[in-house]
């Protein structure tokens, strides 16, 4: 089975900072990688699909890149409303990464 | 507007059964594959089960295989999860999620608000 790792598991950053989260697959998954945002007490929300495609209505400060086994999710300028846990998901077996909790410093 | 509304959660004893429902609206339900995803308290997301639009293809996570059954009724725009032989580790918020697809792969583009299942004596 393909395993997903995410790093870091948590981070604190200041408003306006650039935030980067990485997701690594245990084997090549092409670009079959999605990113979700989950705010406390809420359902997850799709942000990025196919590694780099921004879901309709999602602010352009969010972006994704990568292919194969290594992927990156970036918030170009962190906003207070971005406080959440972010999960990657690979589509081959629908497995989610362990998540990255993002806080404001 | 796409809406997914789960129901049927609650408190059940270990070894008991529960049936979750997900009522869909705002899209052509019969055209979409659907999934159940769960989240144990304070933990991450765990995919549980998948069903194709026509019910011809079904998958389960190893953790629930043989105990849970996914089904759908396209005439009623509804998705179900029959959960039997429940264990304490099945305690979680259960979400239904619609599967959207690009030309290359798929993703969960709409989620319900979730329903809490608590397995405890």
């Amino acid at each position: 089975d393909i395993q997903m790792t995410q790093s870091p598991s948590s981070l604190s950053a200041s408003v306006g900072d650039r935030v980067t989260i990485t997701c690594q697959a245990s084997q090549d998954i092409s670009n079959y990688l999605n990113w979700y945002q989950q705010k406390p007490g809420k359902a997850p929300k799709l942000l990025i699909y196919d590694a780099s495609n921004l879901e309709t209505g999602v602010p352009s400060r969010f972006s994704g890149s990568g292919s194969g086994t290594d992927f990156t999710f970036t918030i170009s300028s962190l906003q207070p409303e971005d406080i959440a846990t972010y999960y990657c998901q690979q589509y081959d077996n629908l497995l989610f990464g362990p998540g990255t909790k993002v806080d404001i410093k | 507007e796409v809406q997914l509304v789960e129901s049927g959660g609650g408190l059940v004893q270990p070894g008991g059964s529960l049936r979750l429902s997900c009522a869909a609206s705002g899209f052509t339900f019969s055209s979409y594959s659907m999934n159940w995803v769960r989240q144990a308290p304070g933990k991450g997301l765990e995919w549980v089960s998948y069903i194709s639009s026509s019910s011809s293809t079904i998958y389960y996570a190893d953790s629930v295989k043989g105990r849970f059954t996914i089904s759908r009724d396209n005439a009623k725009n509804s998705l179900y999860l029959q959960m039997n032989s429940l264990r304490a580790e099945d305690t979680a918020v259960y979400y239904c999620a619609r599967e959207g697809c690009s030309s290359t792969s798929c993703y969960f583009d709409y989620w319900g608000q979730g329903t809490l299942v608590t397995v405890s004596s």
Side-chain angles (χ1 to χ4, degrees):
Chain A
D1 279 356
I2 300 173
Q3 301 299 316
M4 307 299 293
T5 58
Q6 261 183 262
S7 61
S9 56
S10 65
L11 65 89
S12 290
S14 299
V15 173
D17 281 356
R18 184 180 184 89
V19 169
T20 299
I21 298 169
T22 63
C23 182
Q24 188 169 53
S26 58
Q27 62 190 74
D28 190 335
I29 58 169
S30 184
N31 68 331
Y32 302 156
L33 194 284
N34 307 316
W35 291 96
Y36 299 85
Q37 175 194 65
Q38 186 180 33
K39 296 183 178 181
K42 300 294 186 182
K45 175 187 176 182
L46 176 68
L47 298 181
I48 303 282
Y49 64 93
D50 290 353
S52 60
N53 292 310
L54 196 67
E55 173 69 341
T56 303
V58 173
S60 59
R61 64 179 180 274
F62 297 101
S63 65
S65 64
S67 66
T69 60
D70 296 300
F71 301 87
T72 300
F73 172 81
T74 300
I75 307 172
S76 61
S77 177
L78 186 67
Q79 300 301 304
E81 60 267 31
D82 300 336
I83 299 312
T85 300
Y86 294 85
Y87 295 92
C88 62
Q89 179 203 30
Q90 59 92 358
Y91 187 67
D92 185 74
N93 63 8
L94 302 170
L95 192 68
F96 290 92
T100 296
K101 187 175 181 181
V102 175
D103 283 325
I104 296 288
K105 191 183 296 182
Chain B
E1 179 194 6
V2 172
Q3 282 199 317
L4 298 169
V5 180
E6 301 94 337
S7 60
L11 176 64
V12 61
Q13 292 188 338
S17 298
L18 213 54
R19 190 195 196 205
L20 306 183
S21 299
C22 172
S25 61
F27 66 102
T28 305
F29 180 71
S30 59
S31 297
Y32 288 85
S33 299
M34 298 292 295
N35 291 266
W36 287 99
V37 177
R38 69 183 180 183
Q39 186 170 38
K43 302 298 184 182
L45 300 172
E46 180 189 15
W47 169 78
V48 172
S49 185
Y50 160 96
I51 186 167
S52 63
S53 57
S54 64
S55 304
S56 60
T57 302
I58 286 174
Y59 300 119
Y60 298 99
D62 288 344
S63 57
V64 307
K65 203 172 293 182
R67 300 187 299 123
F68 289 11
T69 302
I70 192 172
S71 63
R72 64 191 295 161
D73 185 335
N74 286 342
K76 294 183 177 180
N77 291 336
S78 293
L79 174 72
Y80 306 102
L81 187 67
Q82 177 66 43
M83 304 186 295
N84 298 332
S85 303
L86 283 161
R87 307 166 180 167
E89 54 265 35
D90 295 318
T91 294
V93 173
Y94 285 74
Y95 297 100
C96 64
R98 190 184 85 165
E99 189 164 295
C101 295
S102 67
S103 58
T104 54
S105 74
C106 301
Y107 37 81
F108 298 170
D109 58 357
Y110 286 93
W111 298 63
Q113 85 289 349
T115 187
L116 176 63
V117 173
T118 304
V119 184
S120 175
S121 54

